[in-house]
Amino acid sequence: MARWRQAVELAMTEEEIAKLAAIAHSRSESARRVERARMLLAYCESPSFYAVGQRLGAHHQTIQRCVERALAYGPLAALDDRPRPGKEPTITPEARAWLVSLACEKAKEHGYPHELWTTRLLARHARENAPAAGHKCLADLVQGTVCKILGQEEVKPHKVRYYLERRDAEFEQKMAEVLCVYREVQLLKKAAKSKKPRKPVAVVSYDEKPGIQAIATTAPDLPPEPGVHPTFARDHEYKRHGTLSLLAGIDLLTGKVHALVRDRHRSREFIEFLKLLDAAYPASTAIKLILDNHSAHISRETRAWLVTRPPHRFEFTFTPTHGSWLNLIEGFFSKFARSVLRHIRVASKHELKKRIMAGIDDVNRHPVIHTWSYRLTEAA
């Protein structure tokens, strides 16, 4: 005659019960862990395999195995499956290394029209060529296994991450010159606060923002409507009216932005901007510009105009090649694009020009004095 299963005593601390309760009510834990936590909590309240099974809709033997694991390994450890030996891997370490090495090469180097591998193409190539390379275990390789192997090695041959090669041999020297100008700005600011007399100097960070598109809508924008749609609605179609270039320089001592909006940004437009600066500052003020190596900044026309000005009126400090991040005006352009130019729609280029200049005027009503701090101590 079969004997009734004897209830076993499961002793748990208050801390273990609290952790099991948190897991039992969790929405992020796996269903298996949640179910086993509920089994142990229910058994703790009513130590009967059959009663707990009836309550939770599980077989009483399942409850018994869970409780026995809790007795053997602890209540929290019983929530997870015991490690199993598993099947011996069929793909050898040498074959994995061969596959990863293959993924680190370009597909075009193996005669394919593709520039980079796709996981499907890599799996097909491995199936066709691995046996000849001495890796027969890859003869039936599938795409999913390729993804798993490459994921474990953190190799993504189907993606490209761009970087910037430093091509200016004098990068450090030119960067130091720019930092020296920023250091001078810092000293001039301190002198202004202490009200000490200082030489009349204006430091302007200058650049161009080309290709600002004048785009018109083909249908009126629909305003937000509570309970219907929370955002402005805009028709996908649009009409192009051309592009404009914003030529701007920010005075690093006062925060004032000097700007022109023109169709292009050639030497004649740059000279026009220099004339704007020339008229904005007293004749005794030295104007120092931080700018990049655009051809208009060093052209014959620009140099010819500079010769007509008094000596030391303009002084240029050029950022190194691919070093535009050293120019503070780039941060202003980024902020201007994210605020004034974001989602802008106009009926003509003339309207776009007026909107841009209105945005510049708005900035100048509340000027922000920008400060450079990166590696500035090295310029001391």
Side-chain angles (χ1 to χ4, degrees), residues 10-23 40-41 70 73-77 79:
L10 178 61
M12 293 190 294
T13 64
E14 293 183 0
E15 182 181 359
E16 290 173 335
I17 293 175
K19 290 182 179 179
L20 288 175
I23 295 173
L40 294 178
L41 290 173
Y73 306 108
L76 296 176
L79 304 183

Side-chain angles (χ1 to χ4, degrees), residues 29-242:
E29 290 280 356
S30 63
R32 179 178 295 139
R33 286 173 58 83
V34 171
E35 183 182 15
R36 290 173 179 173
R38 290 175 179 173
M39 290 179 186
L40 294 178
L41 290 173
Y43 187 83
C44 185
E45 295 176 2
S46 175
S48 168
F49 302 139
Y50 183 80
V52 173
Q54 288 290 316
R55 177 178 168 184
L56 299 181
H59 198 277
H60 61 84
Q61 290 182 346
T62 304
I63 309 298
Q64 182 180 358
R65 286 195 296 269
C66 182
V67 173
E68 289 175 350
R69 279 201 303 271
L71 290 171
Y73 306 108
L76 296 176
L79 304 183
D80 300 311
D81 290 334
R82 297 296 94 202
R84 297 179 175 87
K87 182 182 177 183
E88 286 292 329
T90 57
I91 299 179
T92 63
E94 293 77 12
R96 292 171 63 94
W98 179 84
L99 182 65
V100 172
S101 175
L102 181 66
C104 293
E105 301 172 0
K106 287 189 173 183
K108 68 175 185 179
E109 297 173 0
H110 294 269
Y112 294 99
H114 310 67
E115 177 74 11
L116 303 176
W117 293 109
T118 64
T119 51
R120 190 182 302 276
L121 178 63
L122 185 59
R124 190 183 79 190
H125 181 84
R127 286 195 301 269
E128 296 173 352
N129 296 274
H135 305 294
K136 294 182 179 180
C137 57
L138 297 178
D140 299 319
L141 185 67
V142 295
Q143 181 186 7
T145 306
V146 171
C147 295
K148 187 180 297 184
I149 293 174
L150 297 183
Q152 292 171 349
E153 300 295 333
E154 297 185 355
V155 175
K156 301 177 181 179
H158 58 289
K159 291 188 175 183
V160 174
R161 181 179 63 84
Y162 287 89
Y163 74 99
L164 188 62
E165 186 75 20
R166 183 173 292 184
R167 295 182 174 86
D168 194 335
E170 300 177 350
F171 188 95
E172 294 293 335
Q173 177 184 344
K174 293 179 180 178
M175 182 175 68
E177 293 173 359
V178 176
L179 294 178
C180 284
V181 177
Y182 289 140
R183 178 62 174 168
E184 182 181 0
V185 170
Q186 190 180 63
L187 296 176
L188 291 172
K189 289 179 180 177
K190 290 181 179 179
K193 288 181 179 179
S194 61
K195 297 182 179 180
K196 293 181 180 179
R198 61 181 180 87
K199 58 181 180 179
V201 176
V203 183
V204 177
S205 175
Y206 169 82
D207 202 1
E208 300 94 2
K209 183 174 179 61
I212 303 175
Q213 297 191 66
I215 299 178
T217 56
T218 56
D221 287 347
L222 303 178
E225 187 174 343
V228 181
H229 52 88
T231 66
F232 278 92
R234 175 173 289 168
D235 186 62
H236 283 284
E237 293 188 3
Y238 55 87
K239 183 178 180 181
R240 297 180 185 273
H241 292 297

Side-chain angles (χ1 to χ4, degrees), residues 22 26 57 84 96 107 148 153 158 172 220 222 243 270 288 294 306 317 345 375:
S26 173
R84 297 179 175 87
R96 292 171 63 94
K148 187 180 297 184
E153 300 295 333
H158 58 289
E172 294 293 335
L222 303 178
T243 60
F270 179 58
K288 297 185 176 183
H294 190 275
L306 289 172
T317 300
R345 292 293 185 268
R375 296 183 67 174

Side-chain angles (χ1 to χ4, degrees), residues 273-294:
F273 181 83
L274 293 179
K275 291 178 179 178
L276 176 68
L277 291 181
D278 197 25
Y281 295 99
S284 60
T285 301
I287 304 174
K288 297 185 176 183
L289 273 82
I290 300 173
L291 67 173
D292 60 21
N293 294 275
H294 190 275

